[in-house]
């Protein structure tokens, strides 16, 4: 059944050169980069704070997979991290600290200033779910507010919403999940606990949390835990001397369409039950956690993948495995894949070969293996003044499990922001920007390119 919605007119509350929708890693990269080009930039974010999954889902660990590798971050990400460190140091983290972990509450505060200092205006509580199209261009973006719909006009729009809500509204074709059944990776509702015996858990300088995580996985596989969540891993984030573990990445709901409200509702409730079970389990089974208390649950269930839009180029796992070089390269990133089994089927070897999808596909960084991301996977089909960024760029499902990394998302955002600047200044559509100029701008921003 369908019902017609009456046409409405909306006030145009802002006009910008570049409009970035979504203030997660990709949106921060895009907004700061476009701001540095001296453009009038507006950033819209549905939450009341920036950071996307880093803050909303407590993913403070960001670059943990780069530990003990020759890789380090660059561009906007490295500036963000350096500025944060100067202000907040090691985030009270007493675990071995390589690489850096943020305190996501401090990061929320820091990001306001970091993004404003690039001359960017931010509007929070701005959920975008509609556009006005004219001649294959987005003429205006519609924000749903408490006061009804309002509009923003911009020369170029960068979609950094993770799920690609702007591109979706504009009718850009997309794929979602794995090819066989369109299942995405599970949604996760992270949580924090207080009341752990931090001194005991770090006694003699040994990080016992890592050992607890390893033992948990063995016990789960041996059928010993009795827990109902199908997640086998138990990664912990920061631990403070005051007895807080600030990130427990455990409750996972499987088979959720990240864009369907009934699925999302099921996921939220299911994960809350898993949290209850796990906190009880921790207090009974883990050393130093006898007095553990649930202290907070993340803002909402968060996702690693959802829509992937059809762009001028689709980055594939084959490109990544063969280290394909692109003339339009805008990011070089350590080659790794991390895809939690979409169907919770954990028995396979989890290898990338044959795109098996059995088990958790996890290939850590090996040596200095890397892959390139081309500019044309940020340029969508169909709409002339739109750019993609972050986890919804044009790529296949397994490739997405590499490009979804937080600092990679910030790099694709940074490239989109720089491209928007060149496009507007030279009066050409994003698809026609001078690639050599784009690469030069990125290099001057500290992005490492060949
Ligand atoms: C539990 C979990 C653990 C993870 N662990 C790691 C890790 O350790 N390391 C790592 O590198 N990556 C990790 N990831 C992946 C990583 O967090 C994401 O891939 C990354 O955050 C994607 O960045 P993004 O900017 O594209 O999207 P997001 O982080 O999803 O940000 C999107 C932003 O847009 C906003 N938004 C969404 N829709 C709208 C709309 N319609 N209107 C306005 N605003 C909107 C959101 O509120 C959000 O702020 C993890 C993900 C999860 C869920």
């Amino acid at each position: 059944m369908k019902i017609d919605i009456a046409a409405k007119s909306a006030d145009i509350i802002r006009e910008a050169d570049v409009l970035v929708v979504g203030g997660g890693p990709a949106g921060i990269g895009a907004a700061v980069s476009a701001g540095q080009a001296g453009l009038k930039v507006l950033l819209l974010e549905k939450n009341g704070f920036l950071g996307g999954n880093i803050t909303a889902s407590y993913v403070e660990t960001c670059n943990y997979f780069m530990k003990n590798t020759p890789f380090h971050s660059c561009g906007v990400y490295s500036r963000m991290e350096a500025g944060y460190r100067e202000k907040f140091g090691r985030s009270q983290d007493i675990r071995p600290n390589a690489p850096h972990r943020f305190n996501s509450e401090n990061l929320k505060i820091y990001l306001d200033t970091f993004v404003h200092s690039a001359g960017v205006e931010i509007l929070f509580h701005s959920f975008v779910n509609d556009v006005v199209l004219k001649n294959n261009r987005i003429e205006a973006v519609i924000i749903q507010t408490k006061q009804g719909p309002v509009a923003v006009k911009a020369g170029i729009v960068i979609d950094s919403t993770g799920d690609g809500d702007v591109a979706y509204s504009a009718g850009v074709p997309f794929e979602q999940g794995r090819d066989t059944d369109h299942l995405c990776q599970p949604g996760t509702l992270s949580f924090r606990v207080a009341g752990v015996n931090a001194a005991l858990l770090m006694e003699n300088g040994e990080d016992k949390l890592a050992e607890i995580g390893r033992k948990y996985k063995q016990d789960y596989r041996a059928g010993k835990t009795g827990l109902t969540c199908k997640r086998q891993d138990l990664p912990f984030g920061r631990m403070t001397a005051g007895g807080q573990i600030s990130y427990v990445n455990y409750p996972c709901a499987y088979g959720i369409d990240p864009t369907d409200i009934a699925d999302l509702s099921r996921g939220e409730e299911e994960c809350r039950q898993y949290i209850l079970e796990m906190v009880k389990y921790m207090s009974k089974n883990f050393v130093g956690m006898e007095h553990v208390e649930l202290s907070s649950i993340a803002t909402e269930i968060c996702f690693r993948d959802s829509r992937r839009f059809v762009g001028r180029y689709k980055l594939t796992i084959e490109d990544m495995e063969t280290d394909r070089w692109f003339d339009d390269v805008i990011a070089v990133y350590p080659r790794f894949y991390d895809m939690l089994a979409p169907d919770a089927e954990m028995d396979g070897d989890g290898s990338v070969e044959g795109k098996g999808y059995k088990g958790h596909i996890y290939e850590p960084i090996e040596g200095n293996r890397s892959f390139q991301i081309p500019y044309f996977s940020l340029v969508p089909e169909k709409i002339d003044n739109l750019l993609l960024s972050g986890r919804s760029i044009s790529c296949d499902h397994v490739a997405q499990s590499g490009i979804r990394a937080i600092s990679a998302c910030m790099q694709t955002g940074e490239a989109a922001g720089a491209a928007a600047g060149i496009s507007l200044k030279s009066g050409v559509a994003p698809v026609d920007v001078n690639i050599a100029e784009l690469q030069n701008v990125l290099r001057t921003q500290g992005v490492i390119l060949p």
Side-chain angles (χ1 to χ4, degrees):
M1 287 204 302
K2 296 223 180 211
I3 190 163
D4 290 333
I5 302 171
K8 287 185 179 176
S9 58
D11 289 338
I12 298 168
I13 57 158
R14 294 286 190 285
E15 292 194 48
D17 297 323
V18 180
L19 173 65
V20 179
V21 186
I28 294 163
V32 169
S33 176
Q36 283 171 182
L39 299 167
K40 190 175 176 194
V41 183
L42 175 64
L43 173 58
L44 300 177
E45 165 57 48
K46 77 175 169 72
N47 287 329
F49 53 86
L50 299 178
N53 279 341
I54 315 178
T55 49
S57 190
Y58 302 164
V59 186
E60 304 176 332
T61 49
C62 295
N63 283 342
Y64 78 93
F65 52 87
M66 287 192 199
K67 189 174 168 181
N68 302 330
T69 76
F71 293 97
H72 51 88
S73 55
C74 61
V76 173
Y77 186 94
S78 60
R79 287 206 300 285
M80 176 187 82
E81 186 181 293
Y84 171 94
R85 264 182 199 261
E86 207 180 303
K87 210 166 166 48
F88 297 105
R90 291 182 44 152
S91 309
Q92 292 86 34
D93 188 11
I94 60 166
R95 298 185 73 191
N97 190 38
H100 179 78
R101 297 182 180 108
F102 296 100
N103 168 330
S104 65
E105 305 307 331
N106 285 340
L107 185 65
K108 285 178 187 171
I109 300 166
Y110 173 73
L111 283 174
D112 291 341
T113 324
F114 180 68
V115 171
H116 281 314
S117 65
V120 175
E121 185 188 5
I122 307 166
L123 287 178
F124 291 116
H125 301 281
S126 299
F127 181 77
V128 170
N129 71 347
D130 207 356
V131 294
V132 178
L133 294 177
K134 195 173 178 188
N135 302 330
N136 296 330
R137 287 176 62 82
I138 296 177
E139 210 188 3
V141 155
I142 307 300
I143 312 171
Q144 300 300 337
T145 77
K146 294 269 187 191
Q147 299 172 336
V150 296
V152 169
K153 290 182 86 169
I156 291 185
V157 181
I158 301 176
D159 189 334
S160 305
T161 58
D163 296 324
D165 292 350
V166 180
Y168 173 78
S169 306
V172 180
F174 66 92
E175 299 174 303
Q176 185 166 309
R178 57 185 183 185
D179 294 343
T180 44
D181 51 17
H182 309 295
L183 281 181
C184 296
Q185 297 187 58
T188 301
L189 187 63
S190 307
F191 65 97
R192 291 187 172 131
V193 290
V196 305
N197 186 339
L200 183 68
L201 287 165
M202 278 304 298
E203 205 174 37
N204 304 323
E206 280 169 35
D207 181 9
K208 295 191 183 58
L209 282 185
E211 184 47 39
I212 286 174
R214 276 191 288 276
K215 170 89 169 46
Y216 172 79
K217 185 166 186 166
Q218 279 168 13
D219 287 351
Y220 184 93
R221 290 208 154 201
K224 289 184 188 167
T225 66
L227 296 171
T228 54
C229 177
K230 292 179 180 136
R231 172 89 149 134
Q232 318 194 340
D233 295 303
L234 187 58
F236 297 110
R238 275 182 314 128
M239 182 166 64
T240 66
Q244 175 183 226
I245 299 175
S246 67
Y247 171 45
V248 187
N249 169 355
Y250 165 75
C252 276
Y254 291 82
I256 306 278
D257 176 344
T259 63
D260 178 292
I261 55 170
D263 275 16
L264 288 166
S265 304
R266 172 168 69 79
E268 300 277 7
E269 289 189 21
E270 206 177 296
C271 284
R272 282 195 277 271
Q273 291 304 317
Y274 297 149
I275 291 172
L276 204 61
E277 280 185 3
M278 177 47 89
V279 174
K280 206 165 158 193
Y281 186 87
M282 288 166 115
S283 71
K284 289 204 167 140
N285 294 278
F286 297 159
V287 61
M289 299 204 196
E290 297 77 8
H291 305 293
V292 74
E293 177 196 5
L294 174 63
S295 53
S296 72
I297 297 179
T299 320
E300 60 184 350
I301 187 168
C302 286
F303 292 86
R304 296 158 178 87
D305 69 309
S306 60
R307 301 180 185 120
R308 306 183 315 276
F309 290 87
V310 178
R312 299 295 173 125
Y313 186 81
K314 179 175 173 179
L315 183 70
T316 65
I317 179 80
E318 289 77 20
D319 294 332
M320 287 163 74
E321 282 295 286
T322 56
D323 190 12
R324 179 164 173 190
W325 282 48
F326 294 95
D327 290 342
D328 58 328
V329 55
I330 46 90
V332 179
Y333 206 73
R335 196 186 325 164
F336 88 110
Y337 312 98
D338 183 5
M339 186 190 302
L340 277 63
D343 53 7
E345 170 57 76
M346 301 294 182
D347 292 336
D349 63 4
S351 69
V352 170
E353 273 82 48
K355 299 175 195 170
Y357 286 124
K358 279 198 150 226
H360 177 171
I361 296 179
Y362 183 70
E363 292 217 355
I365 296 171
E366 253 177 47
N368 59 0
R369 292 188 343 163
S370 61
F371 69 93
Q372 298 195 350
I373 305 178
Y375 173 62
F376 287 107
S377 33
L378 315 186
V379 183
E381 289 287 342
K382 235 183 131 190
I383 303 294
D384 295 339
N385 65 338
L386 176 66
L387 282 165
L388 306 167
S389 64
R391 60 183 171 84
S392 66
I393 65 169
S394 181
C395 58
D396 72 29
H397 195 214
V398 185
Q400 200 274 352
S401 75
I403 65 93
R404 77 173 174 88
I406 285 166
S407 45
C409 289
M410 206 170 279
Q411 277 192 257
T412 52
E414 184 166 2
I422 295 169
S423 161
L424 289 172
K425 283 180 181 167
S426 54
V428 298
V431 71
D432 293 320
V433 298
N434 183 309
I435 298 294
E437 191 182 346
L438 172 59
Q439 291 165 334
N440 280 337
V441 170
L442 290 173
R443 283 192 191 97
T444 60
Q445 293 181 186
V447 175
I448 301 162
L449 292 177

